[in-house]
Amino acid sequence: MLLFEQAKSLLDFNQKLDINLLDGVVNMMYNGTSHSQKEASEVLSSFKEHPDAWTRVDTILEFSQNQQTKYFGLQILEQTIKTRWKALPKNQSEAIKKYIVGLIIKTSTESNLIEKEKVYLSKLNLILIQILKYEWPKNWPTFISDLVGSSKTNESICQNNMEILKLLSEEVFDFSAGQITQAKAKALKESMNSEFQLIFQLCNFIMANSQNINLITVTLETLLRFLNWIPLGYIFETDLIPNLISTFFVMQQFRNVTLKCLTEIVSINVGTYQDKFVLLFVMTIENLKKVSHGLIRIK
């Protein structure tokens, strides 16, 4: 009861945020009795709904010792972006954008940190996607080139950038119906298509040069999301199909996702490139014989 009375002070936004008190309320929300959980929920809901709640997020993320509190802070920021982004002054929206990008880079710099902060980083990535819906391409025309450029500085950053591209592809081409206007969806799709050469070059570079299993896996998974919308020339007029089969299909750790990519390719309804489909079939059978070590008899 005492904590609940103290917790009400969190709703006074003229005071400095007591981060330890907030951590205590969040902890009560998840680990308290049913009555204390109800009280904590009321305080946290009121806090989240306050129009200035987003101004507390940087303090929460920097000083909280509780992962659940940090996640609560990200929920506040995500809700602000979804409901109030266009109403925010330009300097404030720019500050939020730079802050999120900085957090993503900081959290994805080391591979062990990516695994440790997986849920936290995934939420940051989703928030970035929400920002991109409003800012890209008109107000952030360099996003793709910025992302590709940062990918070349660090394999861990590159791995997370692939996750971002996968999310962006899903958001634009798979889930956009009913969530953004048709005009916005069209603009996003045109931007993805026009800048895909940079993305394709990055994917090729990773597949040709990286020895990092996690990075190669997420690159193949991201490529899988691209195959149903990218210009057909990238699939049938490059070495993509032979590389997938001869390099990755034969390796057990990449075989499943590579097979999904090949399945996606053969499901493309196109009247041309029949010779490429024949090549895909023949190479797959030949390499399947190799990886099966003769245990499977294919006629």
Side-chain angles (χ1 to χ4, degrees):
M1 186 67 179
L2 179 60
L3 180 60
F4 177 63
E5 292 302 320
Q6 293 174 332
K8 292 180 180 178
S9 66
L10 293 171
L11 305 179
D12 183 355
F13 280 72
N14 292 317
Q15 295 185 29
K16 182 180 178 181
L17 177 63
D18 186 337
I19 196 67
N20 292 326
L21 180 57
L22 181 60
D23 278 344
V25 175
V26 171
N27 186 60
M28 185 168 65
M29 170 68 184
Y30 286 95
N31 302 304
T33 63
S34 58
H35 179 69
S36 61
Q37 285 179 331
K38 182 180 179 181
E39 291 180 335
S41 178
E42 291 175 2
V43 172
L44 293 176
S45 294
S46 297
F47 186 96
K48 184 187 291 188
E49 291 167 7
H50 195 285
D52 293 329
W54 68 273
T55 64
R56 304 288 206 184
V57 171
D58 58 341
T59 301
I60 292 171
L61 298 183
E62 184 173 354
F63 296 107
S64 174
Q65 301 301 311
N66 187 330
Q67 284 299 110
Q68 292 166 330
T69 306
K70 290 184 177 182
Y71 197 80
F72 172 71
L74 292 180
Q75 287 178 323
I76 293 171
L77 197 55
E78 184 178 37
Q79 187 64 20
T80 300
I81 293 166
K82 285 182 176 180
T83 61
R84 299 179 54 211
W85 185 259
K86 290 184 178 181
L88 291 174
K90 187 64 178 176
N91 65 319
Q92 292 182 356
S93 61
E94 278 294 311
I96 292 174
K97 183 177 78 175
K98 290 179 181 178
Y99 181 68
I100 290 299
V101 170
L103 279 179
I104 288 174
I105 292 174
K106 179 181 178 182
T107 311
S108 62
T109 300
E110 299 177 12
S111 57
N112 62 330
L113 198 56
I114 286 181
E115 190 59 35
K116 180 182 177 182
E117 304 282 2
K118 188 174 183 179
V119 175
Y120 176 66
L121 184 57
S122 295
K123 192 65 172 179
L124 286 172
N125 290 342
L126 288 171
I127 289 173
L128 178 62
I129 296 300
Q130 293 298 327
I131 292 174
L132 288 170
K133 286 183 185 180
Y134 295 104
E135 296 294 296
W136 180 70
K138 184 178 180 181
N139 298 323
W140 197 354
T142 62
F143 167 70
I144 294 295
S145 59
D146 290 346
L147 183 137
V148 170
S150 68
S151 297
K152 296 175 181 178
T153 64
N154 180 293
E155 280 201 332
S156 295
I157 290 175
C158 185
Q159 180 180 328
N160 188 64
N161 284 350
M162 280 294 158
E163 294 284 2
I164 292 170
L165 286 171
K166 181 167 61 173
L167 286 172
L168 185 59
S169 178
E170 291 172 349
E171 193 67 40
V172 173
F173 291 92
D174 298 337
F175 308 140
S176 62
Q179 297 187 19
I180 53 179
T181 65
Q182 288 186 345
K184 184 62 178 178
K186 183 174 182 291
L188 292 175
K189 290 175 182 179
E190 288 176 351
S191 293
M192 285 290 279
N193 274 296
S194 66
E195 298 193 73
F196 187 73
Q197 183 176 0
L198 283 174
I199 300 172
F200 189 75
Q201 289 172 347
L202 177 62
C203 291
N204 267 340
F205 180 81
I206 293 167
M207 292 189 292
N209 296 284
S210 180
Q211 301 296 315
N212 186 318
I213 292 176
N214 291 333
L215 176 56
I216 295 172
T217 299
V218 73
T219 300
L220 291 170
E221 289 172 348
T222 302
L223 184 64
L224 175 61
R225 297 298 192 279
F226 294 157
L227 290 172
N228 65 353
W229 61 262
I230 61 175
L232 295 177
Y234 287 109
I235 301 174
F236 298 108
E237 297 174 18
T238 67
D239 291 329
L240 178 62
I241 292 174
N243 284 344
L244 285 174
I245 298 171
S246 61
T247 304
F248 300 106
F249 179 73
V250 295
M251 300 179 70
Q252 185 174 359
Q253 59 266 51
F254 305 126
R255 191 169 303 146
N256 285 344
V257 65
T258 304
L259 191 57
K260 288 178 182 179
C261 289
L262 296 174
T263 302
E264 188 68 37
I265 291 171
V266 298
S267 69
I268 296 173
N269 186 14
V270 58
T272 53
Y273 300 113
Q274 293 306 307
D275 57 324
K276 299 295 184 179
F277 286 107
V278 172
L279 175 66
L280 187 156
F281 178 77
V282 171
M283 287 190 67
T284 302
I285 294 300
E286 288 177 349
N287 283 277
L288 183 58
K289 288 179 179 179
K290 293 178 183 178
V291 300
S292 65
H293 302 294
L295 296 178
I296 301 176
R297 186 176 181 183
I298 303 175
K299 295 181 179 181

